[in-house]
Structures are given as C-alpha cells and as structure tokens.
Amino acid sequence: MNVNVSTVFRQSPIRRNTWRSMLRDPMTALGTGILAIIILLTLIGPFIVPNDSLAVKMSERLQSPSWQYPLGTDHLGRCIFSRLVAGAKTTLGISAFVIISVTLIGIPVGLLSGYVGGRVDALLMRLVDGVGALPEFILAIAISGFLGPSLTNLMLSIVLVKWIGYARVVRSIVLSEREKEYVLAARVAGCSTWTVLWRHLLPQIISPVVVLAALDIGKIILIISALSYLGLGAQPSAPEWGAMLNDGRPYFQTVPELMIYPGVAIMLVVVSCNLISDGLRHILDVRSR
C-alpha cells in the first residue's frame, strides 16, 4: 500500500495554526525571533564580516572594539566578531546534524520496539538501557576521548548518546497507542505493519518529538561547547564558540570579553531554544495527546 508523506503531516497535531499560536505568545515569539536573527547572521555572515576569521595579526592582538574590529581582537589578533559569526555556522550546523541523526535513529527504534514487542523489544531496550547507564555528558567525553579530538568524532559521540532519549519517548507513546481502537481497526482492515506504523502511529509521536528536539538543541550546543572547551571538539584556529571560550580562558582576568562574547552567544541560542520548546509544549499539549 502506497503511503504519501504529506498524509503523516496532515494527520499530525502540528498544523499551520500551531505556528500562529507560537507567535502570539510573547516569550515564544521572543525565542523564535532571537534564533531567526542568529540563523540569518549565520547565512549572510560571509558577506558581512569585516575580516577573515582565521587571519592572524600579532601586531593587532587584544585590540579594543573599533570600526575595523567591532568586538575587538583576540590574543592572536583575529577579529572576534568575524569568528563569532563563522563559529555560529559550525556550532549550529553540528547541532542540526546531531538532531537529524538522533531522530532518524531513535524514531525507528522506538516504533519497532514498542509495536512489535516481545524479544525485539527486550533486545532493543537492553541496548538502550546499557548505553544509557552513564550520564550523557560523561559518556560523550569518554567516546570523544577514545575516538580522538575532531569535529567528526564530536558529532559521532553526541549522536551515540542522544538517540536513547528519543527511542524511549517514542516507545512509550507507541505502547500506549497500539492497543487503541483505531490501531486495532487498521489491523482488522488488513493494513500491514509498515502501514500501521507510518500512517497511524507516526503522526502521534511527531508532537512530542518536535518538542524534545527543540529542547535538545540547547543541550546539544552546551555539550558541543563543553567538549570543545575541553579540547575534544574543534581544534585550534577553527572558529567554534566552545573553542573560543577555551582560547579566552588564560586571559579572563585581563580581557574577559574573550570569554564573555562566545558565552553570551551560546546563552542566547540555548535560551531561545528553551523558549521555543516551552511554547511548543504548551500549544501542542503533548501530555493530553
């Protein structure tokens, strides 16, 4: 039986009026606006930055803000504003990749485990329990340290620890939905397992997964920045907010702006994602669904 992708979203609680309701809420609109501005700066950044983010000019090190350097320069004479804009592309890009990856892993695992049950559920849940036995951040540090410091290994380590939460959320929803009348009616009508999962159960999990993803973006950015701060993510010269925090640490007493600017950037993105997540949770009313 052929299934149209648009059918899933027509049946999902996420509709056009959801976004209108979000914009009516002041705090959610504020978070959406902040995130939109940051994304816009990331997209047009290469056209507006005044300097090369990687250019080292020791004669210009630790300069105060000026027309040439809007936020001053760091300990190597690099333009802080240019590095912040370039770092947004790295930080947000990694976050987007991780969110997409964990949903592509967690949703199928949760659907299969919750609907099929039996040995399949037991096997998948033992895998989930085993991976989730340690705190996410500690496990991410261990995996990154084992694989070696690089952005690729950083992304892989976060994906390996974050998909667990999505699998658990999806499984719990499927367990509560699979015995309801509309699912039983689909089975009686002769629908295949794939059709039941895709057309009837998947629309029910979109709302909570979207809320969880919006909240997780902020957490993932914090993990990325923390691992880069520890030297397990972006390596020297690469513009990334966590790495910029690490670079500015020795100069915190004399030039605190080197840590304040990337710290504020991280805070703005995390706060905006949390505001959007709260707005989505209230508007979609995930618990009642």
Side-chain angles (χ1 to χ4, degrees):
M1 181 176 180
N2 296 327
V3 180
N4 193 335
V5 176
S6 61
T7 303
V8 175
F9 294 96
R10 285 199 301 267
Q11 295 178 357
S12 170
I14 299 180
R15 305 288 180 85
R16 185 177 301 176
N17 58 0
T18 298
W19 312 116
R20 294 176 181 173
S21 300
M22 286 178 59
L23 296 178
R24 292 194 190 103
D25 179 67
M27 300 307 294
T28 308
L30 175 62
T32 305
I34 293 174
L35 188 61
I37 292 173
I38 294 175
I39 293 176
L40 179 62
L41 285 175
T42 303
L43 296 176
I44 66 175
F47 306 101
I48 64 172
V49 291
N51 302 282
D52 184 357
S53 61
L54 301 177
V56 175
K57 300 178 182 178
M58 295 303 295
S59 60
E60 302 287 340
R61 63 190 303 268
L62 302 179
Q63 293 290 316
S64 300
S66 61
W67 286 108
Q68 183 178 1
Y69 304 109
L71 298 179
T73 60
D74 63 6
H75 61 294
L76 296 178
R78 298 171 296 192
C79 177
I80 296 177
F81 177 73
S82 300
R83 289 181 64 78
L84 277 177
V85 174
K89 181 178 180 181
T90 302
T91 303
L92 297 181
I94 293 175
S95 302
F97 174 83
V98 170
I99 284 293
I100 293 173
S101 299
V102 297
T103 52
L104 291 179
I105 297 173
I107 290 177
V109 171
L111 281 172
L112 186 63
S113 177
Y115 185 74
V116 176
R119 294 182 178 179
V120 174
D121 181 39
L123 177 62
L124 292 176
M125 285 302 102
R126 295 300 77 76
L127 174 63
V128 168
D129 293 339
V131 178
L134 293 175
E136 291 181 346
F137 184 64
I138 301 299
L139 188 57
I141 292 178
I143 296 175
S144 295
F146 177 77
L147 296 177
S150 72
L151 286 177
T152 301
N153 293 337
L154 172 67
M155 290 187 290
L156 181 60
S157 65
I158 299 175
V159 170
L160 289 176
V161 300
K162 292 298 292 183
W163 69 271
I164 300 171
Y166 291 82
R168 283 175 171 166
V169 168
V170 172
R171 175 181 177 270
S172 64
I173 297 173
V174 172
L175 287 176
S176 65
E177 295 288 328
R178 69 179 183 179
E179 301 301 330
K180 291 186 177 179
E181 293 181 356
Y182 72 95
V183 176
L184 297 177
R187 292 177 184 171
V188 172
C191 293
S192 64
T193 299
W194 167 254
T195 302
V196 173
L197 292 175
W198 184 257
R199 295 194 63 181
H200 300 286
L201 292 178
L202 182 59
Q204 306 304 318
I205 69 172
I206 289 180
S207 294
V209 167
V210 168
V211 174
L212 180 60
L215 182 61
D216 257 358
I217 291 177
K219 295 180 180 179
I220 289 170
I221 290 176
L222 289 177
I223 295 176
I224 293 170
S225 301
L227 292 179
S228 295
Y229 179 81
L230 296 175
L232 296 174
Q235 296 307 294
S237 79
E240 197 277 324
W241 291 345
M244 291 177 67
L245 282 173
N246 189 31
D247 291 342
R249 179 170 47 86
Y251 304 91
F252 182 71
Q253 296 291 335
T254 55
V255 192
E257 304 91 83
L258 296 183
M259 295 189 71
I260 290 176
Y261 291 138
V264 170
I266 294 171
M267 181 193 71
L268 288 175
V269 175
V270 172
V271 169
S272 64
C273 290
N274 288 344
L275 291 175
I276 294 172
S277 175
D278 287 340
L280 284 172
R281 184 170 64 248
H282 291 307
I283 293 169
L284 298 176
D285 196 15
V286 175
R287 289 186 178 181
S288 67
R289 294 187 188 281

